[in-house]
Amino acid sequence: MGLVFGLLWLFNIFLEGIHCQGVYAPPTVRIIHSGHACNIEEERYTERVYTIREGETLELACLVSGHPRPQIRWTKTAGSASDRFQDSSVFNETLRIIRIQRHQGGRYYCKAENGLGSPAIKSIRVDVYYLDDPIVTVHQSIGEAKEQFYYERTVFLRCMANSNPPVRYSWRRGKEFLSQGSDKGVEIYEPFFTQGETKILKLKNLRPQDYANYSCIASVRNVCGIPEKNVLFKLSNKTASPTIKLLVEDPIVVNPGQSVTLVCVTSGGEPTPTLTWVRNTDELSKKSRLNGGTLTLPSISMEEAGVYSCVASNNVGNPAKKSTAIVVRGLKKGRFWITPDPYHNDDNIQIGREVKISCQVEATPPEELLFSWLKNGRPLRSSERMVITHTDPDVQPGTTNLDIIDLKFTDFGTYTCVAALKNGGIPEVSIDVNISSTTVPPELTVPRGKSPMVVQEGDTVDLQCLVSGKPKPIILWSRADKEVPMPDGSLQTESYDGVLRIVNVSREMTGTYRCATSQYNGFNVKPREALVELTVQYPPVVEPVFTEIRQGLGRAFTLNCRVLRAHPSKVLKYEWKLGTRLLTMGQFDQRDETDYHVRALNREGYGEYTCEVTNEAGAGACRFLVTGRAYAPEFYYDTYSALWQNRPRVYGFKLQWTQQNPLSVDRIVAYRLGMKQTGQSRWWEQEIPMEGAIAKGELITHNLTELIKPEAYLVRLTPITRFGEGDSTDRIIRYSAPVNSHLREFQCSFEDEAVCMFTQDKTDDFDWTRHSAATRDTKYTPNTGPSSDRAGSKQGFYMYIETSRPRLEGEKARLLTPTFNVAHKSPYGTVTAAPTYCFGFYYHMYGKHIGALNAYLRQKGHSGSDSSLWNLVGNQGDRWKQAKVNIHPIASFQLVLEGIRGPGIEGDIAIDDVTIEEGECKDPPPNNLRSLSPPTTPHIWQFLVTLTLVFVDLQR
């Protein structure tokens, strides 16, 4: 067995040595498209554009390579607004947007990164095509207010439709197609300021024959299968812009709870106008009911007051609009304040001095507001000593003042301010103010023991200010730093009892709070203030909260726990534990961290280590899971020709992987390989032994055989050390025939968006483009390129090179076929004899600037030496021709089709219907056949065949 493993090791190193040295690779990425695209093209200046019809399904797949397997993230950018709509770590992630809408067009980026080098980014612009129904609007040059269009008037019919790509318009009068110059009385033009988005039909000096049915046809030339749309407008001598009447008063004043009905009727307009209602340019309330031009507002509230407008439109002239205001009567927010004699520097009320009582109420409508005053319940009239005013310019509207001149003992009592609206219907608002010898200005104090307040995070705390005086004013709470918001997010909070309650207090709420008296419901004097300190204690915040450490037996390591913040922070203690066993304890000095050292790890040293840091408020903990589990393997997805077939019903797969951080733990002695068919529950398992230590980046290979076609398999790989099993990793293996069973026949006409897995060469100057004659724009490339695919269909697809600017003479575009495995292929890449295949394709080389078309054979193991198969130069006429050539590959191979740009823009080259058939070419076209003889088998292949036979013999 030692010899067998030695040969296996030598064989693997020989075949995969280059991968072992450079198996870790930065990511590469490309985007492929599927779904319902109606056109994919490489625009000028190398911009990739994917065109799709609105409402279809967008599918973009991001294919990546690189090791470790890169993670993928999709982002989208539209204009200057960037929107990340999906984050994913699923490989080959497909972006799928069902029923795509126009606003979802834009540039989509696929970003792949695996920690090596710079992230790989590719993008594609998605262009969503759509066509809305066109709208015709009618205007006349003068006399817009007139009700009819007279013969001498000039009429403009404007057609507009939202679309992408830009819409093309045409006009018909009845069944007659109208064009510029076809009728002297008709002009058709696009105004400059509309940038081609409208088409205007001008009827000069209206004639009797101009009264007719006009059709505007909007078209995007059937791009993406979008049909044209049209709209009909009937122009007659009765055509007129809308006029309306409102059968309501203005304004409408109502009480809350009443129902209001607004009636709007059309008084003119042809065609019949449509009527809509809006409120303050906003939508109507949900409970409103609209029936034609009648709007009903049941049980109206003050919030529904506003300006309501009726708008009539029939696309003739300007819309008609008339408005009315709805005023909902009401009273709210009654407040008072007492102002001592302003001529004395004293905030107290004193006999013989003046005192003013102010009362404020918000009223709708304000002109209906009425005030009256009572003293001890009896009406009070204005007099020389009792001056009542309602129009003080120094106070807000809706305010009344009572000035008491030369205050006497007989003036003490309860004064009542009563607010009402004319004609009643609304409850009155009454405010009582007591004036007596006990009426004194307020004072604020903080109760003993209520500042500073020290609480634990998460508690409920009451901050309190005691207010004395009569009457007691509203207390306003705020932060001492006025820019810092209160716990509820506001800058100021009202309190009627002087208490501010904070629920679930957090550490951010630590600070100084200010309580201050308000002038409302109290004295209009300088505010009294007091300060309350709040201190919130919280347990230590530490890092790391959790981390996993993987170590092999006998190794030394250190665990570190650091305190980020805590309050109080001076008295901090720590305890290190392994499970429940205490390891060490102590108290922090000047440092904010503590370490625990393990000099030589033994089996009992595996487990969860905890460092608990405590203060008065609680504890914070760092947790470390020390384990000998091996890291997960990393599957290698870029294996060259991983799948092979040597029997009709089964296939084999070369499974390759590297081990993540193999030196972090004990040596990996084996891998457990689990495998099951997808959708099944039964697993098959086997153990793959490993001899010697695995190096970082070493590529490990295991061949899977006897896999049933065309089933897919879930493969799970688990590393095993003397600690036990490590982390597993999974991948799906799917069957995909290289072409057919050992390449009997291959055919591609490029009808599928996946283009039969053809790929663009990464080292060329530009790319081939998939196109069809139905969507190809010949504006910039006349007199070149095919008018249909090889079968004669304008809807069929082909591949071609676009030679318009910025392409330069001599630039090359190379298209690569999939990689094919030759017949009689063993799992190790050797062949018993060089088979013969016929490689054929159709080409179209029409244009006076045609360059060259070349075909090459590229074989595995022959890097940098593509073999020339076929070439042709110059204009070959406007027709498809066939080329065939025999090839004799001795290893896995690809065909390369190279187009070279000629001296000008009329040099598009196209190919179609690529075929590969087993056997010699039959009836090859004249002058197009070249045979590539198989080269002498190199010594390397002799060595590999010999080594394989030795290995097979030893296995037996």
Side-chain angles (χ1 to χ4, degrees):
M1 288 299 293
L3 179 59
V4 172
F5 284 121
L7 285 172
L8 274 174
W9 175 82
L10 178 61
F11 180 67
N12 186 61
I13 291 298
F14 187 84
L15 284 181
E16 307 295 343
I18 187 170
H19 292 291
C20 290
Q21 299 300 320
V23 65
Y24 286 109
T28 63
V29 62
R30 66 189 181 100
I31 298 175
I32 65 170
H33 24 65
S34 57
H36 296 81
C38 42
N39 190 23
I40 302 103
E41 61 183 19
E42 304 291 332
E43 274 198 350
R44 292 162 184 84
Y45 309 107
T46 68
E47 182 176 37
R48 301 188 68 199
V49 182
Y50 177 104
T51 304
I52 189 170
R53 180 174 175 174
E54 188 174 47
E56 301 289 358
T57 297
L58 170 70
E59 286 188 4
L60 299 175
C62 192
L63 302 184
V64 299
S65 64
H67 189 73
R69 189 65 166 170
Q71 290 190 340
I72 297 171
R73 186 179 72 189
W74 281 99
T75 56
K76 179 207 168 198
T77 304
S80 60
S82 181
D83 174 30
R84 179 185 297 180
F85 57 91
Q86 176 180 1
D87 281 332
S88 175
S89 59
V90 180
F91 304 142
N92 294 353
E93 176 67 22
T94 296
L95 167 66
R96 193 166 189 264
I97 302 177
I98 300 175
R99 293 185 293 277
I100 191 169
Q101 300 300 306
R102 62 192 66 177
H103 69 273
Q104 293 173 304
R107 180 162 295 281
Y108 287 81
Y109 293 86
C110 173
K111 179 180 181 181
E113 50 189 338
N114 64 355
L116 299 177
S118 300
I121 302 175
K122 289 290 185 182
S123 70
I124 186 170
R125 182 163 65 85
V126 175
D127 206 359
V128 182
Y129 278 8
Y130 58 90
L131 174 61
D132 291 343
D133 291 328
I135 298 173
V136 170
T137 57
V138 183
H139 298 269
Q140 59 179 357
S141 57
I142 57 173
E144 192 79 275
K146 292 183 178 295
E147 294 186 358
Q148 293 185 343
F149 291 97
Y150 296 99
Y151 283 44
E152 65 273 15
R153 300 302 180 192
T154 296
V155 175
F156 300 88
L157 278 72
R158 173 176 291 178
C159 188
M160 295 174 289
N162 295 320
S163 73
N164 184 33
V167 68
R168 290 183 180 178
Y169 300 95
S170 58
W171 284 96
R172 293 183 185 275
R173 180 168 54 197
K175 297 182 179 180
E176 174 193 4
F177 176 76
L178 296 176
S179 60
Q180 186 67 29
S182 62
D183 186 330
K184 293 183 179 180
V186 176
E187 289 185 8
I188 301 174
Y189 64 95
E190 296 178 3
F192 173 75
F193 60 86
T194 64
Q195 298 180 355
E197 295 176 359
T198 65
K199 179 74 77 171
I200 293 181
L201 188 68
K202 180 180 180 182
L203 307 177
K204 299 180 294 184
N205 295 326
L206 211 60
R207 305 162 300 176
Q209 62 266 35
D210 292 329
Y211 293 117
N213 292 333
Y214 290 85
S215 296
C216 172
I217 300 96
S219 170
V220 290
R221 302 163 298 287
N222 204 38
V223 171
C224 289
I226 299 175
E228 65 182 24
K229 297 184 178 182
N230 64 80
V231 61
L232 178 68
F233 187 88
K234 182 179 181 180
L235 181 66
S236 70
N237 58 359
K238 296 182 179 180
T239 300
S241 56
T243 57
I244 55 175
K245 294 180 180 179
L246 284 184
L247 305 183
V248 294
E249 298 178 355
D250 184 30
I252 302 172
V253 181
V254 296
N255 292 332
Q258 289 183 330
S259 292
V260 179
T261 299
L262 306 178
V263 180
C264 177
V265 296
T266 58
S267 56
E270 178 67 32
T272 303
T274 57
L275 299 175
T276 57
W277 280 94
V278 294
R279 170 180 170 262
N280 298 337
T281 70
D282 296 329
E283 295 182 357
L284 301 173
S285 65
K286 293 182 179 179
K287 67 179 183 180
S288 60
R289 299 193 298 265
L290 186 61
N291 182 15
T294 301
L295 174 64
T296 302
L297 304 171
S299 186
I300 197 168
S301 63
M302 294 187 69
E303 290 73 21
E304 293 176 281
V307 177
Y308 286 76
S309 302
C310 176
V311 181
S313 175
N314 65 352
N315 293 337
V316 178
N318 296 319
K321 178 180 179 180
K322 290 197 173 182
S323 305
T324 184
I326 297 180
V327 179
V328 182
R329 304 170 74 237
L331 296 170
K332 58 182 180 180
K333 287 192 176 179
R335 288 181 169 178
F336 74 92
W337 57 94
I338 302 170
T339 306
D341 191 340
Y343 300 105
H344 295 81
N345 188 20
D346 193 343
D347 292 342
N348 291 288
I349 296 175
Q350 296 186 22
I351 298 297
R353 294 183 181 178
E354 179 182 342
V355 62
K356 180 193 290 185
I357 305 173
S358 301
C359 175
Q360 181 184 356
V361 175
E362 292 185 13
T364 305
E367 62 270 15
E368 289 192 18
L369 179 61
L370 299 176
F371 280 115
S372 61
W373 285 90
L374 305 177
K375 178 184 178 184
N376 298 327
R378 295 180 179 180
L380 184 65
R381 298 184 182 277
S382 184
S383 64
E384 290 184 359
R385 280 202 326 106
M386 298 284 183
V387 181
I388 299 174
T389 58
H390 303 309
T391 57
D392 190 338
D394 296 331
V395 298
Q396 298 180 11
T399 303
T400 181
N401 298 317
L402 172 61
D403 279 286
I404 303 175
I405 311 298
D406 187 17
L407 183 68
K408 301 179 183 299
F409 281 106
T410 56
D411 295 331
F412 290 163
T414 299
Y415 292 83
T416 304
C417 164
V418 180
L421 293 181
K422 290 180 182 178
N423 304 320
I426 300 297
E428 297 176 338
V429 173
S430 297
I431 303 171
D432 293 333
V433 183
N434 185 265
I435 302 295
S436 68
S437 59
T438 60
T439 302
V440 293
E443 293 296 333
L444 274 182
T445 58
V446 178
R448 180 174 297 180
K450 292 294 185 179
S451 181
M453 293 288 291
V454 180
V455 297
Q456 303 286 319
E457 191 170 38
D459 290 348
T460 296
V461 61
D462 287 336
L463 305 184
Q464 186 176 3
C465 281
L466 291 179
V467 57
S468 62
K470 184 179 179 181
K472 290 185 178 180
I474 298 172
I475 302 300
L476 302 178
W477 282 93
S478 63
R479 299 290 288 264
D481 182 351
K482 295 182 179 180
E483 295 182 358
V484 179
M486 295 290 285
D488 63 357
S490 64
L491 292 177
Q492 188 171 266
T493 302
E494 290 186 355
S495 171
Y496 287 87
D497 58 1
V499 175
L500 174 65
R501 171 161 290 186
I502 305 175
V503 179
N504 192 23
V505 66
S506 65
R507 64 194 68 177
E508 294 81 11
M509 298 175 189
T510 294
T512 304
Y513 290 77
R514 175 186 287 110
C515 60
T517 58
S518 164
Q519 72 169 23
Y520 299 114
N521 297 359
F523 273 71
N524 183 22
V525 294
K526 182 179 179 181
R528 274 56 169 168
E529 294 184 353
L531 299 177
V532 179
E533 293 287 339
L534 176 63
T535 300
V536 181
Q537 294 184 342
Y538 54 89
V541 178
V542 298
E543 70 172 9
V545 176
F546 177 83
T547 188
E548 184 182 55
I549 297 176
R550 305 201 183 200
Q551 287 288 348
L553 291 172
R555 301 182 186 180
F557 60 92
T558 299
L559 306 178
N560 174 268
C561 182
R562 188 161 68 95
V563 179
L564 299 178
R565 52 191 175 275
H567 192 84
S569 59
K570 292 185 178 181
V571 184
L572 291 174
K573 299 179 181 180
Y574 65 84
E575 288 184 350
W576 282 96
K577 295 180 180 180
L578 173 55
T580 58
R581 179 165 59 95
L582 180 64
L583 300 174
T584 185
M585 60 187 298
Q587 185 169 318
F588 284 88
D589 43 24
Q590 300 299 321
R591 301 177 64 205
D592 59 358
E593 58 186 356
T594 174
D595 297 328
Y596 183 77
H597 304 282
V598 177
R599 292 181 175 82
L601 181 64
N602 54 30
R603 287 190 175 276
E604 292 71 26
Y606 287 122
E608 183 172 277
Y609 290 74
T610 304
C611 176
E612 190 173 86
V613 183
T614 58
N615 66 0
E616 294 178 16
C622 298
R623 288 181 171 81
F624 306 86
L625 179 61
V626 178
T627 175
R629 290 171 60 90
Y631 286 95
E634 299 169 316
F635 281 118
Y636 188 65
Y637 286 80
D638 300 332
T639 303
Y640 190 84
S641 297
L643 188 145
W644 77 82
Q645 302 167 210
N646 53 11
R647 299 214 308 274
R649 297 183 180 179
V650 298
Y651 67 100
F653 190 87
K654 183 192 293 185
L655 189 68
Q656 293 186 305
W657 69 92
T658 59
Q659 178 59 44
Q660 184 182 171
N661 300 324
L663 304 180
S664 296
V665 295
D666 292 328
R667 185 180 69 82
I668 295 171
V669 297
Y671 285 93
R672 177 167 289 112
L673 174 67
M675 189 166 60
K676 70 169 185 174
Q677 287 186 16
T678 55
Q680 302 294 322
S681 58
R682 182 183 175 187
W683 285 86
W684 291 271
E685 289 189 347
Q686 72 174 101
E687 203 166 278
I688 306 172
M690 293 287 111
E691 294 291 332
I694 298 174
K696 182 175 178 61
E698 180 179 343
L699 194 62
I700 305 168
T701 301
H702 180 78
N703 291 317
L704 304 176
T705 58
E706 305 299 321
L707 305 179
I708 301 172
K709 295 194 305 187
E711 301 295 335
Y713 291 83
L714 173 63
V715 176
R716 177 169 297 161
L717 201 59
T718 308
I720 301 173
T721 65
R722 56 178 172 169
F723 176 84
E725 292 190 355
D727 294 343
S728 300
T729 187
D730 296 349
R731 72 166 292 182
I732 299 290
I733 292 174
R734 303 184 187 279
Y735 172 77
S736 57
V739 178
N740 280 325
S741 181
H742 60 75
L743 185 56
R744 296 289 183 186
E745 181 180 354
F746 171 80
Q747 194 276 336
C748 182
S749 57
F750 305 109
E751 299 303 318
D752 183 10
E753 291 173 18
V755 292
C756 313
M757 301 307 291
F758 274 71
T759 56
Q760 309 281 356
D761 193 334
K762 298 177 182 178
T763 62
D764 59 8
D765 302 306
F766 65 108
D767 287 346
W768 289 77
T769 303
R770 176 176 175 264
H771 240 315
S772 71
T775 58
R776 182 158 177 254
D777 184 4
T778 58
K779 181 177 180 180
Y780 299 103
T781 53
N783 305 317
T784 186
S787 58
S788 66
D789 72 351
R790 201 279 302 178
S793 170
K794 290 187 179 296
Q795 306 299 324
F797 286 87
Y798 51 86
M799 300 294 289
Y800 88 112
I801 60 168
E802 171 61 65
T803 56
S804 301
R805 295 181 180 88
R807 300 278 69 85
L808 301 175
E809 184 176 3
E811 289 188 335
K812 299 176 181 180
R814 282 189 289 272
L815 189 67
L816 312 180
T817 70
T819 299
F820 300 116
N821 295 328
V822 297
H824 314 301
K825 186 177 185 301
S826 79
Y828 304 106
T830 60
V831 294
T832 56
T836 299
Y837 296 99
C838 178
F839 169 47
F841 60 94
Y842 283 83
Y843 60 89
H844 189 282
M845 301 172 67
Y846 168 57
K848 63 182 180 180
H849 300 138
I850 290 292
L853 179 62
N854 303 318
Y856 299 95
L857 176 68
R858 178 178 296 180
Q859 300 187 71
K860 181 181 179 182
H862 294 67
S863 59
S865 58
D866 293 348
S867 302
S868 177
L869 300 177
W870 180 94
N871 66 282
L872 195 60
V873 178
N875 186 358
Q876 304 299 315
D878 188 9
R879 60 187 177 276
W880 288 95
K881 296 182 179 181
Q882 189 182 26
K884 287 184 179 181
V885 60
N886 289 324
I887 60 175
H888 306 278
I890 61 172
S892 299
F893 68 94
Q894 290 176 284
L895 282 311
V896 182
L897 288 162
E898 178 185 71
I900 302 178
R901 202 259 196 187
I905 64 173
E906 296 182 21
D908 295 353
I909 299 174
I911 59 170
D912 202 359
D913 290 355
V914 178
T915 59
I916 303 174
E917 298 177 346
E918 192 172 34
E920 295 278 347
C921 292
K922 300 175 182 178
D923 302 322
N927 303 323
N928 282 332
L929 179 63
R930 287 182 56 192
S931 178
L932 182 67
S933 301
T936 304
T937 303
H939 298 298
I940 177 63
W941 293 108
Q942 297 174 5
F943 169 76
L944 290 178
V945 171
T946 303
L947 186 58
T948 304
L949 293 177
V950 170
F951 170 71
V952 173
D953 187 57
L954 286 170
Q955 287 289 80
R956 292 175 182 170

